Structure formats: structure tokens, C-alpha cells
Amino acid sequence: MGTYDVAVFGAYGHTGRFVVEELRERGFGVLAVGRDEAKLRALPWPDLEIRQGSVDDPASLDRAFEGADAVINAAGPFADTAAPVIEAALRAGVPYLDVAAELEANMDTFARFGDKAAGATVIPAMAFFGGLGDLMVTAALGDWTSADEAHIAYGLSSWHPTEGTRAAGKVSRDRRNGKRIRFSGGRIEHRDDALPESDWDFPAPLGTRAVLGEFSMADVVTVPSHLAIPEVVTYMTTNAAREVVTPETPAPPADGPSAQTFVVDVVVRSGGEERRVVAQGQDIYAITAPLVVEAVQRVLDGRTKATGVVSAGEVFDAADFLAALAPRVTVTA
């Protein structure tokens, strides 16, 4: 550790700052990359190497990523940034990871770069949504080669969205023409009916909470990308689902983790058997940083099981990866 330089595209964004801080704490060199040079210079690390780069200017990305050992894309909307940054990382011959929670952007990455990235490493959704759930489902599956269904329930104490979350949500809604997405029968479906409402029995101390079912997050892309599970359903506590779409909900604090807490409850069923894995922690944006930085460390160290466009559960030892997140994420089975 300490011998790698990682370029962070979108370093001055809310999640990008957490990623930069995590990299620095682990001894990585950081190349802070973004469109706005003034915002890069305003970052609170005076010794940080900054490089201006824009997705509208491929040559600028090539210059920005020169000398990097890996690229982390933390700049949304990823529908706009993922493809050009992946292309630049492939030209540079270095691994690419992003923290995209946008379903459409993740689907685009698998579809567009599945063949193009053969032999390279491209890991989309290496974040709280998409990455963590995929690791948990993979760990829960264990020695099973398939399952009938996987359920991922998100118990958030609150959800104060960042500007990036709001922008990404608008892009997704526009691309879906107002419809919602679910994964059922082994395929993505677009529907215009209301989300089903129910209760979910979270582990103590959270307990039973009202949830919206089929509140589809990036897990419905990452999990089916490598696991034979025809039904993948994600749930969100109703209070958080309402907050994230309410215009008056304030943004999270600009500096440091928020007081938000989360419980992610994964249940995998096959026949009459059921397996469960639970993760608990604080601040879904802040916790993305150790997830993606642990991932980039493992990629650079060669602790991977696959190449190409791959999700977290496919490319890493899921149980070992989850254990490495302690104490910031507590995982129990």
C-alpha cells in the first residue's frame, strides 16, 4: 500500500470527497480530477495533485489519467460520465470502478462494454447500492449454485439526498418515461403501476417497518449479472423513500458523515430453505468510500476472480470482502 496512484473523477462531489479522504488515509496517492478546476483547488487538502478533465474532451481525460494505476468515477449523472470515463480508463490500460446507483447507467455499462472490456477490469456500482447488496447476496448464497429469489431490504433512518442523487433520479425518470423498473422472471420489466406496500421485519433494534416493495436499486442489475436468481426484489423503508423525492428535504451535511443509520437485510430462498445476511452502519454516502477503496485495493493487489465488466460479488471473495469492512459495517449471518 502507498505505491499506487488512483485518479478520482468527480473528486469535489459529496461522495468524491469521502473517496479521496479514504484513499489518503490508506496511503494511496490521489489524482483529483474534475471539470471545474476552481472546485478542485478548493478541496481541503493543499498537497493534492489536481487535474482538470471533462467528459466532453477525451484528450483532457487522457492527460488527467496519465500515470494513474486505477480510475474511480464518483461523478454523476453516470448516464453522462460512465461511458467516456470507461473509454479513457481503457485507453490508459487501467482498472475502472464507479459508484453509480443509476440502473440505466449500470445496464448500459454491461451492455456496451461487455466485449470491449475483455481482459480489462470494469466494476460498476461499487457502492452502497449495487455493490454492498450484491456482495451480501453472493455471501448468503454460499455453496448454492442458484436460488429461487433474493430479497434486499433497505432500512434507512432517513434519506437526505445529495444534489447528485437528485440529478441522477431525474435522468432515470426521464429515460423510463415515468415508469418504474423491477427484475422478475429473469428479466428487467418496466411497469406503470404503483409500488406494492408491505411491512418488513428487520432485525432488532429496527424491528418491523413499513416498506415499498420493488423499489428497485442497482442490485437488480448487479446480482443477476452473475447469479442464477430469477427474482431479485429490493425494498425501501417508506419514510426514506418519501424523503428522497421530497423537494424540501435538506441535503446531508457538507462535511463528515451524517447521523443517518442503515440496516440492509438480505434474504435468499431456494426451495424450502432460507439464508439471511444483515449489514448495519452509518451514512450511505460515506460508507461508499470504504467499499470502493477496498475494491480498488484488491484489484491492484490481484485479489480478483474475474475480468471484464464484473460486479462486486463476481470479482471478489464476497464473505472476505464484507469482513474487511468492519468496524464501519457490521455484517452478521
Side-chain angles (χ1 to χ4, degrees), residues 176-197:
R176 299 174 197 170
N177 294 318
K179 294 187 177 183
R180 64 181 182 87
I181 283 178
R182 75 169 184 175
F183 184 83
S184 181
R187 62 186 180 89
I188 291 287
E189 296 180 350
H190 289 79
R191 300 176 62 93
D192 54 15
D193 55 341
L195 293 170
E197 299 183 36

Side-chain angles (χ1 to χ4, degrees), residues 257-307:
S258 70
Q260 177 201 52
T261 59
F262 64 81
V263 176
V264 184
D265 190 14
V266 165
V267 176
V268 177
R269 299 190 179 105
S270 181
E273 295 186 66
E274 177 178 291
R275 292 177 175 177
R276 191 175 199 173
V277 175
V278 179
Q280 301 184 57
Q282 179 181 342
D283 193 333
I284 64 174
Y285 296 109
I287 212 63
T288 285
L291 277 160
V292 73
V293 174
E294 178 68 23
V296 81
Q297 180 73 67
R298 289 174 181 244
V299 169
L300 293 173
D301 287 347
R303 289 180 286 161
T304 57
K305 302 189 297 180
T307 58

Side-chain angles (χ1 to χ4, degrees), residues 59-314:
S60 73
L61 292 180
D62 292 341
R63 292 190 296 270
F65 297 158
E66 184 176 356
D69 295 296
V71 172
I72 295 175
N73 183 4
F78 292 90
D80 298 328
T81 68
V85 179
I86 292 172
E87 295 275 11
L90 292 176
R91 289 194 300 271
V94 299
Y96 167 95
L97 304 88
D98 69 37
V99 297
E102 298 165 40
L103 280 74
E104 291 82 6
N106 294 322
M107 288 188 284
D108 288 348
T109 295
F110 278 99
R112 179 170 177 176
F113 294 97
D115 294 329
K116 199 170 186 178
T121 300
V122 173
I123 309 177
M126 193 61 244
F128 178 78
F129 294 117
L132 180 59
D134 182 40
L135 288 164
M136 292 174 68
V137 171
T138 305
L141 207 65
D143 58 353
W144 291 353
T145 58
S146 63
D148 299 324
E149 54 196 58
H151 301 267
I152 306 166
Y154 290 99
L156 307 187
S157 62
S158 61
W159 192 351
H160 292 188
T162 64
E163 181 181 341
T165 296
R166 291 192 185 281
K170 183 180 186 305
V171 169
S172 289
R173 287 192 297 274
D174 289 347
R175 287 189 64 176
R176 299 174 197 170
N177 294 318
K179 294 187 177 183
R180 64 181 182 87
I181 283 178
R182 75 169 184 175
F183 184 83
S184 181
R187 62 186 180 89
I188 291 287
E189 296 180 350
H190 289 79
R191 300 176 62 93
D192 54 15
D193 55 341
L195 293 170
E197 299 183 36
S198 61
D199 289 331
W200 186 275
D201 294 326
F202 288 95
L206 197 59
T208 302
R209 297 297 175 95
V211 297
L212 293 178
E214 300 178 5
F215 191 93
S216 294
M217 305 305 294
D219 314 272
V220 303
V221 178
T222 56
V223 171
S225 74
H226 68 108
L227 296 176
I229 307 177
E231 303 290 327
V232 180
V233 188
T234 56
Y235 307 78
M236 181 65 65
T237 41
T238 304
N239 65 295
R242 288 174 177 164
E243 282 185 329
V244 76
V245 298
T246 299
E248 293 76 23
T249 302
D255 298 315
S258 70
Q260 177 201 52
T261 59
F262 64 81
V263 176
V264 184
D265 190 14
V266 165
V267 176
V268 177
R269 299 190 179 105
S270 181
E273 295 186 66
E274 177 178 291
R275 292 177 175 177
R276 191 175 199 173
V277 175
V278 179
Q280 301 184 57
Q282 179 181 342
D283 193 333
I284 64 174
Y285 296 109
I287 212 63
T288 285
L291 277 160
V292 73
V293 174
E294 178 68 23
V296 81
Q297 180 73 67
R298 289 174 181 244
V299 169
L300 293 173
D301 287 347
R303 289 180 286 161
T304 57
K305 302 189 297 180
T307 58
V309 181
V310 287
S311 61
E314 181 179 9

